[in-house]
Amino acid sequence: MFKDFLWLILKENLIINFIYKYLAPKIFHGNVFLDVKNLPIINKDHVLKIGNKPNTKFSVKGYTSGTTNKPMTVYRSLKSIFLEEYIIKSYMYENGVGISPRIAVLRGDHLFPANHTGPTFWVKTLFTRRLFLSSYHISQTNAHLYLEALENFEPEVIMAYPSSITLLAKFAQKLDWKPNWDLACVLTSSELFSKENQQTVTGVFGKVLDHYGQAERVAALQLCEQGNYHIRRDYSHVEVLHNEHGQHIVGTNIYNSAMPLRRYDTNDYVEGFDSHSKCSCGNHSPFVEKILGRDDDYLILPNGTYVGRMDVAFKGVTTIVESQIEQVERDRIIIRYVPKELDNIKTIENELSNKIQERLGDSIRIEFITMEKVPRTRSGKFRSVLRSADVSINT
């Protein structure tokens, strides 16, 4: 309750929202450009090796999710926190959201024990008056309860993890359900959001906004109506560089005095960057067509070939709700999946096997595990591709 009250004072009241909408643009109005091309590129391994400590007397501690088996503590200055909130709020304001919207949240908050059976799967906060829904308990059986809760609350914005809102959208499609109130948008972040899943969510909930960032806060990209991700040049200095795996994001922050990072390699790969291209949405900042994810999201074949974008392998598969690939050995992967129906498992697995082998060949053994729900990380995030730490290019 104290955290909710603090959030009301610092981030979610009419006065602070007025500041974010009308005064913050005067503070963060210019494009961030630093001449850093002669500086060395660093990454998480470099920061962990030298040991990261806050550079200022006052800072707020944060953490990376640790999904790459390398969790890291990060530090944010007050100005960095202010900037982060401004970047999100200004994105919503530009897309028609009111100055003090009603917000529902579906983002991995631990609200109930794992064995909780309902009938409620949400909590409404006292001060900020947000509706927090559990992303750990969504199922075909209780999806209608989630949808009824949203109908009763009537949020202007649904903030969600892409995987959670996609899952709920798929169940909503089966129920032929759509919002019966004025929902401005769904705002997603923190996970990869495939074009196919964006279309699924859009078909049910309407406008989708997607924000890309990292715990290190060195780059921010945001989805436009044309499906491109534009670089927020008022946030940081961003470079899109090339290596043997493709185009990747390197960022330099300027507003985080607690943890300044220069030419920090996010290890996130993108597609379709061209600094000279113009987007028809009217936003003149550079953009990428797609965010592919970390190189940890790649599989490595026995011959050493990297294979990414495995989400494409499941395109058009209508017999499953969600799935995850884990590479446990160079020549063995496990596919965990949630079937829509339990009476055609063999057919589903044959279809999935054929699609996987089209991309990986027959040098990979495939094992299947059916589940009621694919496990999330400790922070509630969904990862479509995992690679065991000992499966590396050198094994």
Side-chain angles (χ1 to χ4, degrees):
M1 185 175 292
F2 175 75
K3 182 180 179 181
D4 182 49
F5 178 72
L6 192 63
W7 193 280
L8 173 70
I9 298 301
L10 298 178
K11 290 189 175 184
E12 203 56 67
N13 62 73
L14 192 59
I15 295 174
I16 199 73
N17 283 337
F18 180 88
I19 292 173
Y20 279 123
K21 185 166 185 176
Y22 296 107
L23 300 183
K26 300 181 185 300
I27 300 173
F28 304 109
H29 65 281
N31 295 334
V32 175
F33 177 78
L34 298 173
D35 187 7
V36 295
K37 60 185 178 183
N38 293 323
L39 297 179
I41 295 175
I42 63 173
N43 55 27
K44 181 182 287 188
D45 289 335
H46 173 84
V47 176
L48 290 173
K49 184 177 180 180
I50 64 174
N52 57 318
K53 295 181 179 180
N55 279 30
T56 55
K57 290 183 178 180
F58 179 83
S59 64
V60 175
K61 185 184 295 187
Y63 305 92
T64 62
S65 63
T67 54
T68 59
N69 297 316
K70 295 177 183 178
M72 184 173 76
T73 302
V74 294
Y75 299 93
R76 289 87 178 244
S77 65
L78 281 178
K79 195 168 187 178
S80 171
I81 294 170
F82 182 58
L83 171 64
E84 189 75 15
E85 194 71 9
Y86 162 69
I87 288 293
I88 296 293
K89 287 185 183 293
S90 61
Y91 184 34
M92 293 195 296
Y93 297 150
E94 291 164 3
N95 283 276
V97 176
I99 193 170
S100 188
R102 291 168 64 84
I103 297 175
V105 183
L106 186 61
R107 283 183 50 84
D109 296 278
H110 291 269
L111 305 175
F112 305 99
N115 60 357
H116 178 70
T117 58
T120 58
F121 300 91
W122 48 85
V123 173
K124 186 176 179 181
T125 55
L126 177 63
F127 297 107
T128 56
R129 294 179 296 124
R130 290 188 173 192
L131 182 71
F132 283 82
L133 302 103
S134 172
S135 61
Y136 295 95
H137 296 84
I138 305 172
S139 69
Q140 189 162 303
T141 303
N142 61 35
H144 71 283
L145 297 174
Y146 280 77
L147 300 175
E148 289 171 8
L150 288 172
E151 286 179 353
N152 293 332
F153 186 68
E154 296 186 346
E156 188 177 350
V157 178
I158 299 175
M159 291 184 172
Y161 282 159
S163 59
S164 298
I165 197 66
T166 300
L167 188 61
L168 189 59
K170 288 182 177 180
F171 291 136
Q173 285 178 328
K174 294 192 70 173
L175 296 171
D176 196 26
W177 179 95
K178 287 191 176 182
N180 58 7
W181 73 95
D182 186 15
L183 176 65
C185 69
V186 170
L187 173 64
T188 58
S189 62
S190 305
E191 297 175 345
L192 291 181
F193 203 2
S194 70
K195 299 295 184 183
E196 186 176 27
N197 285 344
Q198 287 176 21
Q199 291 172 0
T200 298
V201 175
T202 299
V204 174
F205 293 100
K207 180 182 285 188
V208 170
L209 307 178
D210 189 40
H211 170 84
Y212 160 82
Q214 336 71 31
E216 297 89 339
R217 297 185 174 179
V218 297
L221 285 76
Q222 293 173 335
L223 183 70
C224 77
E225 60 188 22
Q226 297 301 317
N228 297 316
Y229 284 86
H230 289 265
I231 296 170
R232 287 293 299 253
R233 293 187 292 185
D234 52 352
Y235 183 82
S236 64
H237 177 65
V238 175
E239 302 168 83
V240 180
L241 305 180
H242 294 259
N243 64 17
E244 66 271 23
H245 303 311
Q247 300 175 320
H248 61 116
I249 295 175
V250 173
T252 298
N253 64 31
I254 189 173
Y255 294 114
N256 188 12
S257 57
M259 190 175 177
L261 293 170
R262 301 292 183 262
R263 303 200 86 190
Y264 182 84
D265 191 345
T266 64
N267 213 26
D268 277 340
Y269 286 80
V270 298
E271 188 177 82
F273 174 78
D274 182 348
S275 60
H276 301 294
S277 294
K278 304 296 182 184
C279 182
S280 59
C281 75
N283 187 333
H284 299 300
S285 69
F287 64 87
V288 304
E289 295 177 359
K290 187 178 293 186
I291 297 173
L292 303 178
R294 295 175 293 260
D295 69 352
D296 297 81
D297 297 317
Y298 286 67
L299 301 181
I300 306 176
L301 300 184
N303 64 4
T305 301
Y306 276 66
V307 180
R309 297 185 59 189
M310 289 303 299
D311 60 302
V312 177
F314 299 100
K315 188 174 183 179
V317 178
T318 60
T319 52
I320 62 175
V321 176
E322 59 181 5
S323 61
Q324 179 187 73
I325 300 175
E326 180 178 7
Q327 184 173 18
V328 292
E329 297 177 73
R330 268 294 185 91
D331 62 348
R332 183 166 68 95
I333 63 173
I334 294 173
I335 298 180
R336 301 178 182 89
Y337 72 98
V338 180
K340 284 187 175 179
E341 307 291 343
L342 293 174
D343 57 358
N344 60 345
I345 296 299
K346 191 65 176 177
T347 302
I348 294 173
E349 293 182 357
N350 284 339
E351 181 182 17
L352 292 177
S353 181
N354 289 336
K355 284 184 169 290
I356 293 296
Q357 287 182 335
E358 284 177 5
R359 295 186 61 78
L360 302 183
D362 57 8
S363 62
I364 297 287
R365 292 175 289 148
I366 304 174
E367 299 175 13
F368 293 95
I369 300 177
T370 60
M371 315 189 79
E372 291 186 0
K373 183 177 181 181
V374 174
R376 268 56 177 170
T377 66
R378 284 179 296 178
S379 58
K381 295 181 182 179
F382 174 83
R383 293 196 64 190
S384 60
V385 177
L386 300 173
R387 199 176 73 225
S388 299
D390 55 348
V391 181
S392 68
I393 195 68
N394 296 317
T395 59

